[in-house]
Amino acid sequence: MTPLLELSFATTQLGQQYFGPFNLQVARGERIAILGPSGAGKSTLLKLMARELHPQAGQVAFSGRPLAQWPLAELARRRAVLPQGSNVAFGLQCELVIGLGRVARLVDPQLGQIVQDAATLAHAAHLLGRRLDTLSGGEQARVQLARIFAQMWDVHDGLILVDEPLAALDPGLQFDLLDSLQQFCAARGHAVVAILHDINHALLGFERLLLVRSGQLVADIASDAGAVPALAALYGIALTTATSSDGDVCVIPARSAVRRAA
């Protein structure tokens, strides 16, 4: 089966640093987390996937077609992107911001209901009617996630790319929205690729991990207990493993002897 997204020796350069070559495939319905230290190249990799950056060498293909050849309106109906710290339409009311996810559709008779349902799924229904710039960072993050839900609400086998979608949220909401994202994508066959900093969120909510360091993809591994040594090496920390009563693997980080000595 043709991959939903494929990077073949995709390489780019920002300043003096090279990123890649990246070789990977994303299948329909996959849940993938990108992890790595700050400045490792996680956002650069996501931007290559999103067509925000064009590869200087190699190729990125979406659904078997070079990503650069997709008309933007057609791409918007198959792929949604939530960048970190998104400030789209900062002074608009929340329902208008959520509705921006639907702008690629010339006729959209279900717009109002989809906006309401997307807000509910993102735990943001109580924010409708307020202006985005009156909200806290966590509230804004929920509205922006609702915009992504609205964009991909009535399509299947699409791709969602998100950069730190849980960063501004309290722990309870982090798990609620992680569940919402999983349920939303599973019901529609969407693949999701998310940049995360929380190792436990990656282990609990995703099935595959892309580990990035110094602009390189250093590992592409399953999200399970077997990933813990690679994660410890990636961050230069010691990780203690625990298993919950539900069988979920969690880790407890600690500074390694090498970091204490440094």
Side-chain angles (χ1 to χ4, degrees), residues 92-96 98 116 119-120 122-132 134-144 146 173:
L92 292 181
Q93 286 189 322
C94 292
E95 55 264 40
L96 296 179
I98 297 170
Q116 179 68 49
T120 299
H123 298 267
H126 64 293
L127 302 174
L128 297 177
R130 293 181 58 183
R131 277 179 31 180
L132 192 69
T134 68
L135 306 183
S136 69
E139 289 171 333
Q140 290 182 26
R142 279 178 270 171
V143 171
Q144 296 290 5
L173 271 173

Side-chain angles (χ1 to χ4, degrees), residues 14-245:
L14 298 176
Q16 299 300 310
Q17 186 173 0
Y18 285 90
F19 297 86
F22 295 113
N23 290 287
L24 62 96
Q25 296 181 349
V26 177
R28 288 161 176 77
E30 274 198 292
R31 292 176 285 112
I32 302 173
I34 302 176
L35 297 168
S38 297
K42 303 182 296 297
S43 292
T44 299
L45 173 56
L46 198 76
K47 288 176 180 178
L48 283 169
M49 294 178 174
R51 207 173 86 171
E52 186 174 338
L53 287 175
H54 295 280
Q56 296 175 341
Q59 181 174 275
V60 181
F62 180 63
S63 198
R65 179 180 177 186
L67 188 58
Q69 294 181 7
W70 279 80
L72 288 177
E74 187 179 351
L75 188 61
R77 289 190 288 269
R78 294 283 310 278
R79 187 269 290 135
V81 182
L82 181 60
Q84 188 177 20
S86 178
N87 288 327
V88 175
F90 196 73
L92 292 181
Q93 286 189 322
C94 292
E95 55 264 40
L96 296 179
V97 175
I98 297 170
L100 285 174
R102 310 286 300 174
V103 295
R105 293 158 176 81
L106 297 178
V107 179
D108 197 5
Q110 301 300 315
L111 174 62
Q113 187 62 54
I114 289 175
V115 167
Q116 179 68 49
D117 291 343
T120 299
L121 186 62
H123 298 267
H126 64 293
L127 302 174
L128 297 177
R130 293 181 58 183
R131 277 179 31 180
L132 192 69
D133 56 358
T134 68
L135 306 183
S136 69
E139 289 171 333
Q140 290 182 26
R142 279 178 270 171
V143 171
Q144 296 290 5
L145 185 59
R147 176 172 59 85
I148 298 302
F149 288 155
Q151 181 177 345
M152 304 296 287
W153 193 267
D154 50 358
V155 296
H156 290 80
D157 298 333
L159 175 65
I160 295 176
L161 305 172
V162 291
D163 191 344
E164 282 296 328
L166 308 175
L169 304 170
D170 64 65
L173 271 173
Q174 286 178 339
F175 285 114
D176 288 342
L177 289 187
L178 195 59
D179 289 342
S180 292
L181 184 61
Q182 288 178 327
Q183 293 166 11
F184 179 80
C185 292
R188 294 160 177 81
H190 295 328
V192 57
V193 181
I195 293 175
L196 298 174
H197 281 297
D198 191 300
I199 297 173
N200 284 315
H201 286 154
L203 291 172
L204 292 171
F206 296 81
E207 58 193 354
R208 180 176 160 201
L209 307 178
L210 303 179
L211 308 188
V212 179
R213 183 175 58 226
S214 301
Q216 305 293 313
L217 181 62
V218 296
D220 182 347
I221 55 179
S223 179
D224 55 27
V228 173
L231 289 166
L234 180 71
Y235 293 106
I237 57 177
L239 293 174
T240 300
T241 304
T243 304
S244 72
S245 59

